Amino acid sequence: MAAAAEETQITCKFVTRLPDKYRISPTPFAVPGKLTRYGLSEVINHLLDLDPVKPFDFLVDGELVRTSLEKLLIRKGISVESVLDIEYIPAVGPPSDEATGKHEDWVSAVDGSWAGAVATGCYDGSARLWSPGGALLCSLAGHDGAVTAVSLLPPPSIPGTGAAADGMSSASGCTVVGGGHDGTVRTWDVAMRGGSAKAGECRVFAGHTGAVTAVAASPGGAVFASASHDCTAKVWSRLGGATGELLKGAAGSSASESSKKGKSKRRKGEDGLGIEAGDSAVAIEGNTPGFLGEEVTLAGHTDAVSAVAWESAEILWTGSFDHTLKCWDAESAQLRQSFDTPKAVSAVAVKAGGGRVAWCGGGDRQVHMWDPRVGQTTGATTSFSSHTEMVVCVRWCPGSDHQLVSCAYDGTLKLWDNRGKLPLHTVKAHEKERAMGVDFHGPSRIVSGGTDGRLRIFAIEDCTA
């Protein structure tokens, strides 16, 4: 009887959406029930006569195969007499180390949303811009205290022309947005020529009364959002802000004092988030929305707002220590939806176009994901467990409905596919240190930063290239 069970045969029909050169006949045939994804990959490689071999992953009813076929059928209650449809897709190759950029202090945030460069925020009070190959392009000073959030804006285009409003092509420059413990958001226009970069004047967006915890560029980059310990999020026009003479003497000795406060508190608050509202905000005389470029204030949270993420150019999500996720109309500041979470939220990622929201927080070791169309997160959340310390950042892969990446205080990055519960790969990016931020740089690269003061850049292999 045992021998017979080991020889269970399952009739399968293999289908794929890959190009013709990777397609086989959809005619059903029998395979051993003991086969796992590795054995199934060998079958496909044999039928396609591939040289060199290509790794494949497999889906049954939209779920990644992570056991033997026989065990999968038993768990799903599918008869072994049925013809099983199995879709094969490219397996995601393990990330490989490409480059490292060194900082003098903790790297608190990274952004890889623009193809031409990678931005980092550092506890030494500066933002930095790096080439895709990991070469330092420029350091951007201005913040009084740690830079805890960064984002990248492409050059704004002139409507109807496709030309950049500042005279740069989309391939030759960007705007770096930084948020910090001093309570301000600052931007720098950076012109890039060849392997060099030149930063323009720093613009300051003041209005928050607490440390800035997150910044995010809207799709298209016309506006950006910021989150703060003052319990609000704000949406700003990139053309706003104050520069040069408008700022001279405005902060006076208070800026110097706030700098001392911000730096002295970094080692006390291990996660860098222990700044009370108003501790180190820079006050500027004549602070009015028109003067400083403040567009919209999103008020409704009852505790620190820790995360902002754009669903579209009009819809913005915020996450807070008050155990809620909120969805806003970014232009009118109207609250569209509010959802309770079981724990404080520290980071949020939204799939472009909506339909999936991923978040982490509350000091746990999980990444949580749910579909807001279903309703409240309670009972509708899928959680992914593998990290061994607190998860602090999560990001969606651009152009993907399924892949996301997370980082945690265990020093690792984990690449996930939401059709399975186990990580696709684990990267020991910041060993014996904490990973503080992670992002995709296009669909085939991952960038991260940590308390080891390093920017790490990893390539993800395209297994069907």
Side-chain angles (χ1 to χ4, degrees), residues 109-115 117 119 149-156 174-179 185-189 205 212-227 233-239 307-317 330 348-353 395-396 398 439:
V110 294
D111 188 281
S113 59
W114 186 58
V150 289
S151 189
L152 285 169
L153 309 176
C174 64
T175 298
V176 180
V177 182
V185 179
R186 298 173 186 255
T187 66
W188 300 263
D189 292 330
F205 297 76
V212 175
T213 56
V215 292
S218 70
V223 298
F224 58 89
S226 59
K234 294 181 183 293
V235 179
W236 315 80
S237 167
R238 68 183 295 160
L239 302 179
V308 286
W310 293 87
E311 177 180 314
S312 66
E314 298 80 27
I315 300 175
L316 179 70
W317 286 81
V348 173
V350 183
K351 186 174 74 68
R395 293 288 183 268
W396 279 99
D439 198 7

Side-chain angles (χ1 to χ4, degrees), residues 60-145:
V60 173
D61 290 340
E63 179 184 333
L64 287 170
V65 175
R66 290 295 181 262
T67 63
S68 69
L69 288 179
E70 187 173 10
K71 288 181 179 179
L72 180 70
L73 293 187
I74 292 172
R75 180 169 61 82
K76 286 182 168 290
I78 301 174
S79 170
V80 294
E81 304 298 327
S82 304
V83 176
L84 187 65
D85 286 342
I86 303 178
E87 180 181 359
Y88 57 100
I89 60 177
V92 177
S96 58
D97 191 1
E98 271 202 344
T100 300
K102 185 64 180 173
H103 302 68
E104 297 303 319
D105 211 329
W106 293 1
V107 179
S108 55
V110 294
D111 188 281
S113 59
W114 186 58
V118 175
T120 57
C122 184
Y123 267 84
D124 65 5
S126 67
R128 288 175 172 83
L129 196 65
W130 305 80
S131 74
L136 179 62
L137 296 173
C138 60
S139 294
L140 306 166
H143 279 284
D144 294 308

